Amino acid sequence: MIVAVLTQKGGAGKTTLALHLAGEWARAGASVLLVDADPQASAQDWAEQRARAGRRRLFGMVGLARETLHREVPDLARGITHVVIDGPPRTTALVRSALLAAERVLVPVQPSGFDVWASQAMLDLVAEARVYRPELKAHFVVNRRVVRTRIAREVQRAIASLGVPALEASLAQRVIYAEAAGSGLLAREIDRASPAVREVAALAAEVLRGRP
Ligand SMILES: Nc1ncnc2c1ncn2[C@@H]1O[C@H](COP(=O)(O)OP(=O)(O)O)[C@@H](O)[C@H]1O
Ligand SMILES: [Mg+2]
């Protein structure tokens, strides 16, 4: 499967989600390739940190922040079980290209009405891509949920009004994700007992289950 994690909002959690999904699927034995489509290359920075710390590689990674993504990804995906595209902020042309390459799109969003509304531009691009690829599936993924709270009703309403469903699984706001970003590790490698481990596993499983 080819999954793109996209939203033009910076800091929404694209790289965090992309790395943890790739790590989770690789751990389960799948061959996984992460395509870093962000010119800022944060996923590749993470991999470099990881190599420096002498940690073993969990999945392949390639930097491909080019508008020809959709033409190159099918070749790269040959023989690979799951490709995860970590999207760029802003750069609309790159996002468009990633949308043409992907079978599924995950749009990370923070649980505030404001953030949900800010995703409208992204959803417009999804609608545009569906003209060519009607089978393209898109879901919101709530990131940075406040621990031990439910998603506020107003946020659920905002999501529902945009016509793209949210996955049931979400990631909470946890220091461990920030630590993971800076250290070349995944949350589970920092602390196997962290609740982050379970939420990442639930998210990775739900994406593969492919809810309609
Ligand atoms: N659920 C979370 N809890 C705590 N920190 C998070 C969480 N998700 C992301 N972050 C942190 O927020 C920053 C931005 O996240 P990142 O995944 O890089 O977003 P993007 O790729 O969309 O720009 C990073 O420092 C990351 O570690
Ligand atoms: Mg990023």
Side-chain angles (χ1 to χ4, degrees), residues 101-136:
E103 293 160 272
R104 297 201 57 153
V105 188
L106 302 177
V107 181
V109 67
Q110 298 187 33
S112 83
F114 177 76
D115 268 70
V116 175
W117 295 122
S119 309
Q120 180 63 59
M122 182 59 224
L123 300 189
D124 291 345
L125 292 176
V126 170
E128 183 191 288
R130 277 181 171 154
V131 172
Y132 308 97
R133 321 236 357 264
E135 69 288 0
L136 178 67

PDB file of all heavy atoms in Angstrom, residues 101-136:
ATOM      1  N   ALA A 101       0.319   9.814  -6.317  1.00  0.00           N
ATOM      2  CA  ALA A 101       1.087   8.594  -6.075  1.00  0.00           C
ATOM      3  C   ALA A 101       0.400   7.677  -5.066  1.00  0.00           C
ATOM      4  O   ALA A 101       0.633   6.476  -5.044  1.00  0.00           O
ATOM      5  CB  ALA A 101       2.489   8.960  -5.566  1.00  0.00           C
ATOM      6  N   ALA A 102      -0.439   8.252  -4.203  1.00  0.00           N
ATOM      7  CA  ALA A 102      -0.919   7.527  -3.023  1.00  0.00           C
ATOM      8  C   ALA A 102      -2.227   6.774  -3.261  1.00  0.00           C
ATOM      9  O   ALA A 102      -3.029   7.142  -4.116  1.00  0.00           O
ATOM     10  CB  ALA A 102      -1.113   8.505  -1.872  1.00  0.00           C
ATOM     11  N   GLU A 103      -2.395   5.704  -2.490  1.00  0.00           N
ATOM     12  CA  GLU A 103      -3.691   5.025  -2.451  1.00  0.00           C
ATOM     13  C   GLU A 103      -4.524   5.530  -1.285  1.00  0.00           C
ATOM     14  O   GLU A 103      -5.742   5.489  -1.300  1.00  0.00           O
ATOM     15  CB  GLU A 103      -3.495   3.516  -2.308  1.00  0.00           C
ATOM     16  CG  GLU A 103      -2.845   2.881  -3.517  1.00  0.00           C
ATOM     17  CD  GLU A 103      -2.238   1.541  -3.165  1.00  0.00           C
ATOM     18  OE1 GLU A 103      -1.066   1.520  -2.738  1.00  0.00           O
ATOM     19  OE2 GLU A 103      -2.943   0.534  -3.296  1.00  0.00           O
ATOM     20  N   ARG A 104      -3.802   5.922  -0.226  1.00  0.00           N
ATOM     21  CA  ARG A 104      -4.479   6.446   0.962  1.00  0.00           C
ATOM     22  C   ARG A 104      -3.800   7.710   1.418  1.00  0.00           C
ATOM     23  O   ARG A 104      -2.589   7.819   1.343  1.00  0.00           O
ATOM     24  CB  ARG A 104      -4.366   5.454   2.129  1.00  0.00           C
ATOM     25  CG  ARG A 104      -5.024   4.149   1.878  1.00  0.00           C
ATOM     26  CD  ARG A 104      -5.304   3.509   3.190  1.00  0.00           C
ATOM     27  NE  ARG A 104      -6.125   4.379   4.003  1.00  0.00           N
ATOM     28  CZ  ARG A 104      -6.940   3.935   4.935  1.00  0.00           C
ATOM     29  NH1 ARG A 104      -7.021   2.667   5.188  1.00  0.00           N
ATOM     30  NH2 ARG A 104      -7.667   4.766   5.640  1.00  0.00           N
ATOM     31  N   VAL A 105      -4.585   8.644   1.907  1.00  0.00           N
ATOM     32  CA  VAL A 105      -4.042   9.891   2.446  1.00  0.00           C
ATOM     33  C   VAL A 105      -4.451  10.002   3.896  1.00  0.00           C
ATOM     34  O   VAL A 105      -5.612   9.774   4.245  1.00  0.00           O
ATOM     35  CB  VAL A 105      -4.624  11.122   1.718  1.00  0.00           C
ATOM     36  CG1 VAL A 105      -3.890  12.375   2.172  1.00  0.00           C
ATOM     37  CG2 VAL A 105      -4.543  10.953   0.247  1.00  0.00           C
ATOM     38  N   LEU A 106      -3.502  10.331   4.744  1.00  0.00           N
ATOM     39  CA  LEU A 106      -3.798  10.630   6.142  1.00  0.00           C
ATOM     40  C   LEU A 106      -3.501  12.110   6.357  1.00  0.00           C
ATOM     41  O   LEU A 106      -2.415  12.587   5.998  1.00  0.00           O
ATOM     42  CB  LEU A 106      -2.933   9.770   7.066  1.00  0.00           C
ATOM     43  CG  LEU A 106      -3.074   8.251   6.893  1.00  0.00           C
ATOM     44  CD1 LEU A 106      -2.107   7.523   7.818  1.00  0.00           C
ATOM     45  CD2 LEU A 106      -4.513   7.802   7.153  1.00  0.00           C
ATOM     46  N   VAL A 107      -4.444  12.808   6.923  1.00  0.00           N
ATOM     47  CA  VAL A 107      -4.287  14.242   7.178  1.00  0.00           C
ATOM     48  C   VAL A 107      -4.236  14.461   8.681  1.00  0.00           C
ATOM     49  O   VAL A 107      -5.268  14.422   9.354  1.00  0.00           O
ATOM     50  CB  VAL A 107      -5.462  15.043   6.563  1.00  0.00           C
ATOM     51  CG1 VAL A 107      -5.288  16.543   6.820  1.00  0.00           C
ATOM     52  CG2 VAL A 107      -5.597  14.762   5.072  1.00  0.00           C
ATOM     53  N   PRO A 108      -3.032  14.667   9.245  1.00  0.00           N
ATOM     54  CA  PRO A 108      -2.964  14.895  10.684  1.00  0.00           C
ATOM     55  C   PRO A 108      -3.554  16.254  11.041  1.00  0.00           C
ATOM     56  O   PRO A 108      -3.363  17.230  10.294  1.00  0.00           O
ATOM     57  CB  PRO A 108      -1.460  14.852  10.999  1.00  0.00           C
ATOM     58  CG  PRO A 108      -0.768  15.046   9.711  1.00  0.00           C
ATOM     59  CD  PRO A 108      -1.706  14.640   8.615  1.00  0.00           C
ATOM     60  N   VAL A 109      -4.247  16.279  12.147  1.00  0.00           N
ATOM     61  CA  VAL A 109      -4.887  17.520  12.559  1.00  0.00           C
ATOM     62  C   VAL A 109      -4.901  17.589  14.078  1.00  0.00           C
ATOM     63  O   VAL A 109      -5.063  16.562  14.750  1.00  0.00           O
ATOM     64  CB  VAL A 109      -6.311  17.599  11.955  1.00  0.00           C
ATOM     65  CG1 VAL A 109      -7.230  16.545  12.546  1.00  0.00           C
ATOM     66  CG2 VAL A 109      -6.904  18.977  12.093  1.00  0.00           C
ATOM     67  N   GLN A 110      -4.653  18.767  14.613  1.00  0.00           N
ATOM     68  CA  GLN A 110      -4.716  18.905  16.061  1.00  0.00           C
ATOM     69  C   GLN A 110      -6.165  19.128  16.468  1.00  0.00           C
ATOM     70  O   GLN A 110      -6.952  19.681  15.698  1.00  0.00           O
ATOM     71  CB  GLN A 110      -3.800  20.045  16.506  1.00  0.00           C
ATOM     72  CG  GLN A 110      -2.367  19.700  16.128  1.00  0.00           C
ATOM     73  CD  GLN A 110      -1.340  20.679  16.656  1.00  0.00           C
ATOM     74  OE1 GLN A 110      -1.506  21.239  17.727  1.00  0.00           O
ATOM     75  NE2 GLN A 110      -0.283  20.877  15.902  1.00  0.00           N
ATOM     76  N   PRO A 111      -6.519  18.647  17.653  1.00  0.00           N
ATOM     77  CA  PRO A 111      -7.935  18.655  18.029  1.00  0.00           C
ATOM     78  C   PRO A 111      -8.447  20.027  18.431  1.00  0.00           C
ATOM     79  O   PRO A 111      -8.864  20.238  19.570  1.00  0.00           O
ATOM     80  CB  PRO A 111      -7.995  17.668  19.198  1.00  0.00           C
ATOM     81  CG  PRO A 111      -6.632  17.661  19.771  1.00  0.00           C
ATOM     82  CD  PRO A 111      -5.682  18.007  18.663  1.00  0.00           C
ATOM     83  N   SER A 112      -8.409  20.961  17.499  1.00  0.00           N
ATOM     84  CA  SER A 112      -9.063  22.248  17.730  1.00  0.00           C
ATOM     85  C   SER A 112      -9.843  22.565  16.465  1.00  0.00           C
ATOM     86  O   SER A 112      -9.413  22.193  15.358  1.00  0.00           O
ATOM     87  CB  SER A 112      -8.035  23.351  17.995  1.00  0.00           C
ATOM     88  OG  SER A 112      -7.529  23.843  16.769  1.00  0.00           O
ATOM     89  N   GLY A 113     -10.976  23.226  16.634  1.00  0.00           N
ATOM     90  CA  GLY A 113     -11.801  23.574  15.479  1.00  0.00           C
ATOM     91  C   GLY A 113     -10.979  24.361  14.468  1.00  0.00           C
ATOM     92  O   GLY A 113     -11.028  24.111  13.273  1.00  0.00           O
ATOM     93  N   PHE A 114     -10.145  25.248  14.982  1.00  0.00           N
ATOM     94  CA  PHE A 114      -9.343  26.098  14.112  1.00  0.00           C
ATOM     95  C   PHE A 114      -8.453  25.260  13.192  1.00  0.00           C
ATOM     96  O   PHE A 114      -8.360  25.504  11.999  1.00  0.00           O
ATOM     97  CB  PHE A 114      -8.493  27.041  14.971  1.00  0.00           C
ATOM     98  CG  PHE A 114      -7.587  27.886  14.150  1.00  0.00           C
ATOM     99  CD1 PHE A 114      -8.083  28.978  13.449  1.00  0.00           C
ATOM    100  CD2 PHE A 114      -6.232  27.592  14.046  1.00  0.00           C
ATOM    101  CE1 PHE A 114      -7.247  29.757  12.664  1.00  0.00           C
ATOM    102  CE2 PHE A 114      -5.397  28.355  13.269  1.00  0.00           C
ATOM    103  CZ  PHE A 114      -5.906  29.449  12.576  1.00  0.00           C
ATOM    104  N   ASP A 115      -7.790  24.255  13.778  1.00  0.00           N
ATOM    105  CA  ASP A 115      -6.904  23.403  12.988  1.00  0.00           C
ATOM    106  C   ASP A 115      -7.665  22.600  11.944  1.00  0.00           C
ATOM    107  O   ASP A 115      -7.182  22.386  10.838  1.00  0.00           O
ATOM    108  CB  ASP A 115      -6.146  22.438  13.904  1.00  0.00           C
ATOM    109  CG  ASP A 115      -4.819  23.032  14.311  1.00  0.00           C
ATOM    110  OD1 ASP A 115      -4.834  23.998  15.095  1.00  0.00           O
ATOM    111  OD2 ASP A 115      -3.794  22.557  13.804  1.00  0.00           O
ATOM    112  N   VAL A 116      -8.835  22.140  12.345  1.00  0.00           N
ATOM    113  CA  VAL A 116      -9.639  21.359  11.403  1.00  0.00           C
ATOM    114  C   VAL A 116     -10.018  22.228  10.207  1.00  0.00           C
ATOM    115  O   VAL A 116      -9.835  21.840   9.057  1.00  0.00           O
ATOM    116  CB  VAL A 116     -10.891  20.777  12.095  1.00  0.00           C
ATOM    117  CG1 VAL A 116     -11.773  20.065  11.070  1.00  0.00           C
ATOM    118  CG2 VAL A 116     -10.486  19.815  13.215  1.00  0.00           C
ATOM    119  N   TRP A 117     -10.477  23.461  10.477  1.00  0.00           N
ATOM    120  CA  TRP A 117     -10.857  24.350   9.372  1.00  0.00           C
ATOM    121  C   TRP A 117      -9.670  24.642   8.472  1.00  0.00           C
ATOM    122  O   TRP A 117      -9.808  24.788   7.259  1.00  0.00           O
ATOM    123  CB  TRP A 117     -11.439  25.671   9.897  1.00  0.00           C
ATOM    124  CG  TRP A 117     -12.729  25.502  10.637  1.00  0.00           C
ATOM    125  CD1 TRP A 117     -12.986  25.873  11.935  1.00  0.00           C
ATOM    126  CD2 TRP A 117     -13.928  24.908  10.156  1.00  0.00           C
ATOM    127  NE1 TRP A 117     -14.276  25.530  12.282  1.00  0.00           N
ATOM    128  CE2 TRP A 117     -14.880  24.949  11.210  1.00  0.00           C
ATOM    129  CE3 TRP A 117     -14.308  24.341   8.936  1.00  0.00           C
ATOM    130  CZ2 TRP A 117     -16.165  24.441  11.075  1.00  0.00           C
ATOM    131  CZ3 TRP A 117     -15.598  23.831   8.812  1.00  0.00           C
ATOM    132  CH2 TRP A 117     -16.506  23.885   9.873  1.00  0.00           C
ATOM    133  N   ALA A 118      -8.491  24.725   9.091  1.00  0.00           N
ATOM    134  CA  ALA A 118      -7.285  25.046   8.312  1.00  0.00           C
ATOM    135  C   ALA A 118      -6.941  23.933   7.325  1.00  0.00           C
ATOM    136  O   ALA A 118      -6.122  24.123   6.428  1.00  0.00           O
ATOM    137  CB  ALA A 118      -6.113  25.300   9.257  1.00  0.00           C
ATOM    138  N   SER A 119      -7.564  22.772   7.490  1.00  0.00           N
ATOM    139  CA  SER A 119      -7.294  21.655   6.577  1.00  0.00           C
ATOM    140  C   SER A 119      -8.093  21.754   5.284  1.00  0.00           C
ATOM    141  O   SER A 119      -7.925  20.927   4.387  1.00  0.00           O
ATOM    142  CB  SER A 119      -7.651  20.316   7.238  1.00  0.00           C
ATOM    143  OG  SER A 119      -7.059  20.219   8.498  1.00  0.00           O
ATOM    144  N   GLN A 120      -8.966  22.733   5.200  1.00  0.00           N
ATOM    145  CA  GLN A 120      -9.842  22.824   4.023  1.00  0.00           C
ATOM    146  C   GLN A 120      -9.041  22.848   2.716  1.00  0.00           C
ATOM    147  O   GLN A 120      -9.393  22.155   1.761  1.00  0.00           O
ATOM    148  CB  GLN A 120     -10.731  24.069   4.135  1.00  0.00           C
ATOM    149  CG  GLN A 120     -11.686  24.243   2.958  1.00  0.00           C
ATOM    150  CD  GLN A 120     -12.698  23.096   2.852  1.00  0.00           C
ATOM    151  OE1 GLN A 120     -13.459  22.851   3.782  1.00  0.00           O
ATOM    152  NE2 GLN A 120     -12.692  22.382   1.729  1.00  0.00           N
ATOM    153  N   ALA A 121      -7.952  23.601   2.701  1.00  0.00           N
ATOM    154  CA  ALA A 121      -7.166  23.705   1.467  1.00  0.00           C
ATOM    155  C   ALA A 121      -6.630  22.334   1.053  1.00  0.00           C
ATOM    156  O   ALA A 121      -6.602  21.975  -0.132  1.00  0.00           O
ATOM    157  CB  ALA A 121      -6.013  24.688   1.653  1.00  0.00           C
ATOM    158  N   MET A 122      -6.232  21.564   2.069  1.00  0.00           N
ATOM    159  CA  MET A 122      -5.726  20.209   1.809  1.00  0.00           C
ATOM    160  C   MET A 122      -6.839  19.331   1.229  1.00  0.00           C
ATOM    161  O   MET A 122      -6.630  18.582   0.270  1.00  0.00           O
ATOM    162  CB  MET A 122      -5.194  19.639   3.143  1.00  0.00           C
ATOM    163  CG  MET A 122      -4.600  18.269   3.053  1.00  0.00           C
ATOM    164  SD  MET A 122      -3.218  18.220   1.908  1.00  0.00           S
ATOM    165  CE  MET A 122      -3.617  16.716   1.042  1.00  0.00           C
ATOM    166  N   LEU A 123      -8.021  19.449   1.815  1.00  0.00           N
ATOM    167  CA  LEU A 123      -9.139  18.618   1.347  1.00  0.00           C
ATOM    168  C   LEU A 123      -9.569  19.014  -0.069  1.00  0.00           C
ATOM    169  O   LEU A 123     -10.014  18.165  -0.847  1.00  0.00           O
ATOM    170  CB  LEU A 123     -10.321  18.719   2.314  1.00  0.00           C
ATOM    171  CG  LEU A 123     -10.008  18.251   3.739  1.00  0.00           C
ATOM    172  CD1 LEU A 123     -11.289  18.170   4.557  1.00  0.00           C
ATOM    173  CD2 LEU A 123      -9.281  16.910   3.747  1.00  0.00           C
ATOM    174  N   ASP A 124      -9.392  20.291  -0.416  1.00  0.00           N
ATOM    175  CA  ASP A 124      -9.680  20.716  -1.788  1.00  0.00           C
ATOM    176  C   ASP A 124      -8.747  19.997  -2.760  1.00  0.00           C
ATOM    177  O   ASP A 124      -9.156  19.587  -3.840  1.00  0.00           O
ATOM    178  CB  ASP A 124      -9.510  22.235  -1.940  1.00  0.00           C
ATOM    179  CG  ASP A 124     -10.593  23.012  -1.197  1.00  0.00           C
ATOM    180  OD1 ASP A 124     -11.616  22.394  -0.819  1.00  0.00           O
ATOM    181  OD2 ASP A 124     -10.408  24.224  -0.979  1.00  0.00           O
ATOM    182  N   LEU A 125      -7.485  19.840  -2.350  1.00  0.00           N
ATOM    183  CA  LEU A 125      -6.533  19.131  -3.216  1.00  0.00           C
ATOM    184  C   LEU A 125      -6.899  17.651  -3.327  1.00  0.00           C
ATOM    185  O   LEU A 125      -6.735  17.037  -4.382  1.00  0.00           O
ATOM    186  CB  LEU A 125      -5.105  19.284  -2.678  1.00  0.00           C
ATOM    187  CG  LEU A 125      -4.506  20.695  -2.752  1.00  0.00           C
ATOM    188  CD1 LEU A 125      -3.128  20.725  -2.111  1.00  0.00           C
ATOM    189  CD2 LEU A 125      -4.417  21.160  -4.201  1.00  0.00           C
ATOM    190  N   VAL A 126      -7.396  17.074  -2.225  1.00  0.00           N
ATOM    191  CA  VAL A 126      -7.841  15.668  -2.271  1.00  0.00           C
ATOM    192  C   VAL A 126      -9.001  15.543  -3.258  1.00  0.00           C
ATOM    193  O   VAL A 126      -9.018  14.633  -4.100  1.00  0.00           O
ATOM    194  CB  VAL A 126      -8.267  15.163  -0.865  1.00  0.00           C
ATOM    195  CG1 VAL A 126      -8.955  13.813  -0.951  1.00  0.00           C
ATOM    196  CG2 VAL A 126      -7.057  15.082   0.067  1.00  0.00           C
ATOM    197  N   ALA A 127      -9.939  16.472  -3.181  1.00  0.00           N
ATOM    198  CA  ALA A 127     -11.102  16.429  -4.086  1.00  0.00           C
ATOM    199  C   ALA A 127     -10.643  16.538  -5.539  1.00  0.00           C
ATOM    200  O   ALA A 127     -11.144  15.833  -6.421  1.00  0.00           O
ATOM    201  CB  ALA A 127     -12.066  17.567  -3.739  1.00  0.00           C
ATOM    202  N   GLU A 128      -9.671  17.394  -5.759  1.00  0.00           N
ATOM    203  CA  GLU A 128      -9.128  17.568  -7.110  1.00  0.00           C
ATOM    204  C   GLU A 128      -8.469  16.271  -7.599  1.00  0.00           C
ATOM    205  O   GLU A 128      -8.676  15.833  -8.733  1.00  0.00           O
ATOM    206  CB  GLU A 128      -8.102  18.706  -7.029  1.00  0.00           C
ATOM    207  CG  GLU A 128      -7.460  19.116  -8.308  1.00  0.00           C
ATOM    208  CD  GLU A 128      -6.275  20.058  -8.005  1.00  0.00           C
ATOM    209  OE1 GLU A 128      -6.534  21.209  -7.614  1.00  0.00           O
ATOM    210  OE2 GLU A 128      -5.119  19.621  -8.138  1.00  0.00           O
ATOM    211  N   ALA A 129      -7.702  15.622  -6.715  1.00  0.00           N
ATOM    212  CA  ALA A 129      -7.016  14.380  -7.107  1.00  0.00           C
ATOM    213  C   ALA A 129      -8.024  13.276  -7.399  1.00  0.00           C
ATOM    214  O   ALA A 129      -7.792  12.409  -8.244  1.00  0.00           O
ATOM    215  CB  ALA A 129      -6.061  13.946  -5.993  1.00  0.00           C
ATOM    216  N   ARG A 130      -9.164  13.309  -6.704  1.00  0.00           N
ATOM    217  CA  ARG A 130     -10.170  12.255  -6.889  1.00  0.00           C
ATOM    218  C   ARG A 130     -10.832  12.304  -8.261  1.00  0.00           C
ATOM    219  O   ARG A 130     -11.451  11.336  -8.683  1.00  0.00           O
ATOM    220  CB  ARG A 130     -11.226  12.336  -5.791  1.00  0.00           C
ATOM    221  CG  ARG A 130     -10.775  11.639  -4.531  1.00  0.00           C
ATOM    222  CD  ARG A 130     -11.830  11.706  -3.466  1.00  0.00           C
ATOM    223  NE  ARG A 130     -11.503  10.867  -2.323  1.00  0.00           N
ATOM    224  CZ  ARG A 130     -11.943  11.099  -1.099  1.00  0.00           C
ATOM    225  NH1 ARG A 130     -12.732  12.136  -0.863  1.00  0.00           N
ATOM    226  NH2 ARG A 130     -11.615  10.292  -0.115  1.00  0.00           N
ATOM    227  N   VAL A 131     -10.694  13.426  -8.945  1.00  0.00           N
ATOM    228  CA  VAL A 131     -11.213  13.497 -10.306  1.00  0.00           C
ATOM    229  C   VAL A 131     -10.494  12.445 -11.161  1.00  0.00           C
ATOM    230  O   VAL A 131     -11.092  11.763 -11.984  1.00  0.00           O
ATOM    231  CB  VAL A 131     -11.014  14.915 -10.899  1.00  0.00           C
ATOM    232  CG1 VAL A 131     -11.375  14.947 -12.376  1.00  0.00           C
ATOM    233  CG2 VAL A 131     -11.838  15.920 -10.109  1.00  0.00           C
ATOM    234  N   TYR A 132      -9.178  12.324 -10.916  1.00  0.00           N
ATOM    235  CA  TYR A 132      -8.394  11.333 -11.674  1.00  0.00           C
ATOM    236  C   TYR A 132      -8.352   9.990 -10.978  1.00  0.00           C
ATOM    237  O   TYR A 132      -8.160   8.965 -11.593  1.00  0.00           O
ATOM    238  CB  TYR A 132      -6.944  11.829 -11.855  1.00  0.00           C
ATOM    239  CG  TYR A 132      -6.864  13.203 -12.426  1.00  0.00           C
ATOM    240  CD1 TYR A 132      -6.691  14.304 -11.592  1.00  0.00           C
ATOM    241  CD2 TYR A 132      -6.991  13.405 -13.795  1.00  0.00           C
ATOM    242  CE1 TYR A 132      -6.638  15.589 -12.114  1.00  0.00           C
ATOM    243  CE2 TYR A 132      -6.939  14.682 -14.325  1.00  0.00           C
ATOM    244  CZ  TYR A 132      -6.766  15.766 -13.482  1.00  0.00           C
ATOM    245  OH  TYR A 132      -6.729  17.032 -14.004  1.00  0.00           O
ATOM    246  N   ARG A 133      -8.452  10.008  -9.652  1.00  0.00           N
ATOM    247  CA  ARG A 133      -8.280   8.797  -8.860  1.00  0.00           C
ATOM    248  C   ARG A 133      -9.441   8.648  -7.885  1.00  0.00           C
ATOM    249  O   ARG A 133      -9.296   8.902  -6.698  1.00  0.00           O
ATOM    250  CB  ARG A 133      -6.955   8.885  -8.068  1.00  0.00           C
ATOM    251  CG  ARG A 133      -5.808   9.510  -8.846  1.00  0.00           C
ATOM    252  CD  ARG A 133      -4.580   8.667  -8.963  1.00  0.00           C
ATOM    253  NE  ARG A 133      -4.634   7.403  -8.272  1.00  0.00           N
ATOM    254  CZ  ARG A 133      -4.152   7.203  -7.056  1.00  0.00           C
ATOM    255  NH1 ARG A 133      -3.589   8.161  -6.388  1.00  0.00           N
ATOM    256  NH2 ARG A 133      -4.221   6.012  -6.528  1.00  0.00           N
ATOM    257  N   PRO A 134     -10.616   8.272  -8.402  1.00  0.00           N
ATOM    258  CA  PRO A 134     -11.804   8.224  -7.541  1.00  0.00           C
ATOM    259  C   PRO A 134     -11.652   7.259  -6.365  1.00  0.00           C
ATOM    260  O   PRO A 134     -12.358   7.391  -5.371  1.00  0.00           O
ATOM    261  CB  PRO A 134     -12.917   7.759  -8.490  1.00  0.00           C
ATOM    262  CG  PRO A 134     -12.295   7.505  -9.815  1.00  0.00           C
ATOM    263  CD  PRO A 134     -10.868   7.920  -9.788  1.00  0.00           C
ATOM    264  N   GLU A 135     -10.710   6.319  -6.457  1.00  0.00           N
ATOM    265  CA  GLU A 135     -10.556   5.319  -5.399  1.00  0.00           C
ATOM    266  C   GLU A 135      -9.681   5.833  -4.251  1.00  0.00           C
ATOM    267  O   GLU A 135      -9.505   5.142  -3.245  1.00  0.00           O
ATOM    268  CB  GLU A 135     -10.004   4.012  -5.982  1.00  0.00           C
ATOM    269  CG  GLU A 135      -8.545   4.058  -6.481  1.00  0.00           C
ATOM    270  CD  GLU A 135      -8.307   4.837  -7.785  1.00  0.00           C
ATOM    271  OE1 GLU A 135      -9.281   5.375  -8.361  1.00  0.00           O
ATOM    272  OE2 GLU A 135      -7.144   4.937  -8.206  1.00  0.00           O
ATOM    273  N   LEU A 136      -9.114   7.033  -4.387  1.00  0.00           N
ATOM    274  CA  LEU A 136      -8.231   7.587  -3.352  1.00  0.00           C
ATOM    275  C   LEU A 136      -8.985   7.752  -2.027  1.00  0.00           C
ATOM    276  O   LEU A 136     -10.025   8.385  -1.966  1.00  0.00           O
ATOM    277  CB  LEU A 136      -7.715   8.959  -3.810  1.00  0.00           C
ATOM    278  CG  LEU A 136      -6.817   9.715  -2.850  1.00  0.00           C
ATOM    279  CD1 LEU A 136      -5.489   9.001  -2.661  1.00  0.00           C
ATOM    280  CD2 LEU A 136      -6.574  11.141  -3.363  1.00  0.00           C
TER     281      LEU A 136
END
